[in-house]
Amino acid sequence: MLSLSSFRIASVNLLNYIEPPLASYEYDAIYTQPQWQQKQLWLQHFIEQQQPDIIGFQEVFSCEALKQQLQALGYPYFVVVQQPELIADYIFHKPVVALASRYEVSSCAALAVDHGLLNAAGLSGLQFSRQPLRATVQLPGFGALDCCVVHLKSKRPQLEPALLIDDHQNPLLATFGRWASTVQRGTEAQLLMHALCSRRQQHRLPLVLMGDLNDTLSESSPLSILIQAGELWQKQANASALDASGWNPVRLHDAYLLAKQHQLIPTARPATHYYGSKGSVLDYILLSDEFDSLHPACRADVLSYQTFDKHLIRPDYSTDAYSSDHAPVLAQLQLK
């Protein structure tokens, strides 16, 4: 029976992966056939060169086209939990996340919103801006691994289009819209952790959370709950009693920092996205305790972590013109 000694996990924002003659957002946002082929070739080259075993994708419009491309590259398992929305005729918006795997995906579902929690917080009616995906992958020699793919709300102002048109006349509108986006993104992070903790409590599986978080993971970030939830449990006076009772909260770790523990990567972290000349790390791979070499439950070490940003900082028009505005990230994990 096949047994792995290591495996690779990647997260890739595809920036409007949509097959012509379909359009994204606007009626004229359609790739020509050569442009579409170039976009697919960029993805093909990344996969063939880096050979990830599991890939989380964001900004997917043409799910069937991506599934077919990945099957040809050796990924027989491909899952989504929703479809993009058709605005009119051939124009789509609200792209989705997807997951591809070389190994069996034994189950897949959308992460449910806890409406009781939202109602208690006075946020009834709020939904994920893009539905997160949870898939369980059966890795030979490792076992079941829960993989969650996310694309959280962007920093773009969350306002009605009619108001956005006039925001140059009233800058407070844009400021308020950006704050609304921050609230949405932060609430999504809270909902994620509640859903993942509930899943963890029931199934006790190792977890990977990957995707475009559209924000940093600093202590002041609205997303800090993603890496601080475990610390909150540890600070509770009755934390040991909770653990003894069978409670098993999710503690997530930045894969980059886990690799850095072993001094395996440069200290200067590359940006995964640029707004003008300002670079930010928006794309992450987060791992549960089973991948922290300092934790007694560790089952695999982070061997390396890479950010593939050449198309952002040194682009070659002939290969990168229709690639992505984000850098893929990849973690290699070595089984213990």
Side-chain angles (χ1 to χ4, degrees):
M1 179 182 293
L2 174 68
S3 182
L4 299 175
S5 60
S6 67
F7 59 96
R8 293 177 161 225
I9 298 174
S11 178
V12 184
N13 182 314
L14 287 174
L15 180 61
N16 300 336
Y17 185 96
I18 186 163
E19 185 176 21
L22 303 179
S24 54
Y25 305 109
E26 305 291 342
Y27 76 94
D28 57 349
I30 304 172
Y31 296 121
T32 65
Q33 200 60 40
Q35 289 169 347
W36 171 242
Q37 291 171 354
Q38 187 176 347
K39 188 172 187 69
Q40 287 193 304
L41 192 60
W42 176 82
L43 176 59
Q44 178 183 331
H45 285 167
F46 169 76
I47 290 174
E48 290 177 341
Q49 291 169 9
Q50 305 308 324
Q51 294 294 312
D53 296 288
I54 301 169
I55 315 173
F57 294 101
Q58 304 88 49
E59 295 207 27
V60 180
F61 282 102
S62 294
C63 299
E64 187 59 32
L66 183 57
K67 177 181 179 179
Q68 291 177 12
Q69 181 178 5
L70 292 167
Q71 285 181 338
L73 294 171
Y75 296 83
Y77 300 96
F78 178 87
V79 290
V80 295
V81 292
Q82 64 178 163
Q83 293 291 325
E85 291 187 12
L86 181 66
I87 302 174
D89 298 328
Y90 54 89
I91 307 170
F92 285 83
H93 73 158
K94 295 190 177 180
V96 303
V97 301
L99 180 135
S101 173
R102 296 190 187 278
Y103 305 103
E104 177 190 358
V105 175
S106 56
S107 69
C108 179
L111 279 185
V113 168
D114 187 334
H115 292 287
L117 186 65
L118 289 175
N119 291 339
L123 297 170
S124 58
L126 188 145
Q127 299 286 339
F128 285 111
S129 55
R130 305 169 183 94
Q131 179 63 59
L133 175 158
R134 192 278 309 158
T136 303
V137 178
Q138 301 293 334
L139 288 170
F142 183 87
L145 172 67
D146 267 355
C147 298
C148 182
V149 185
V150 302
H151 188 184
L152 301 187
K153 178 69 181 72
S154 73
K155 294 183 179 181
R156 286 189 294 274
Q158 185 166 296
L159 288 172
E160 292 296 325
L163 291 177
L164 284 172
I165 292 172
D166 296 328
D167 70 359
H168 66 282
Q169 298 171 359
N170 184 354
L172 289 178
L173 285 175
T175 301
F176 188 82
R178 282 190 291 272
W179 172 247
S181 294
T182 299
V183 172
Q184 171 78 30
R185 189 167 57 257
T187 305
E188 289 177 347
Q190 297 283 344
L191 289 171
L192 268 175
M193 287 309 299
H194 278 271
L196 293 175
C197 282
S198 177
R199 170 79 183 173
R200 176 86 162 186
Q201 179 65 10
Q202 294 176 22
H203 299 279
R204 307 297 181 93
L205 295 180
L207 171 67
V208 175
L209 172 66
M210 62 187 123
D212 176 2
L213 304 186
N214 267 314
D215 212 334
T216 64
L217 285 179
S218 65
E219 291 185 2
S220 60
S221 164
L223 308 186
S224 59
I225 187 64
L226 296 177
I227 53 173
Q228 291 180 350
E231 297 176 11
L232 293 175
W233 289 113
Q234 290 174 335
K235 290 178 181 178
Q236 289 291 329
N238 60 347
S240 58
L242 282 170
D243 288 341
S245 69
W247 177 247
N248 194 246
V250 176
R251 298 179 178 92
L252 292 177
H253 311 267
D254 187 340
Y256 170 86
L257 296 180
L258 292 179
K260 194 174 177 181
Q261 285 179 172
H262 305 288
Q263 298 181 338
L264 299 173
I265 55 177
T267 54
R269 186 171 193 170
T272 67
H273 181 269
Y274 288 86
Y275 184 77
S277 61
K278 178 178 171 55
S280 303
V281 179
L282 304 182
D283 302 81
Y284 291 86
I285 297 173
L286 306 181
L287 303 166
S288 59
D289 286 338
E290 288 83 356
F291 303 98
D292 177 7
S293 62
L294 302 180
H295 196 279
C298 182
R299 296 175 55 193
D301 293 321
V302 181
L303 195 61
S304 65
Y305 186 95
Q306 295 172 275
T307 301
F308 299 91
D309 60 357
K310 177 183 174 297
H311 66 287
L312 298 179
I313 61 175
R314 296 187 306 277
D316 179 344
Y317 184 84
S318 65
T319 58
D320 302 329
Y322 301 96
S323 53
S324 176
D325 58 347
H326 285 249
V329 293
L330 182 145
Q332 181 173 0
L333 301 115
Q334 180 79 40
L335 272 62
K336 295 178 78 74

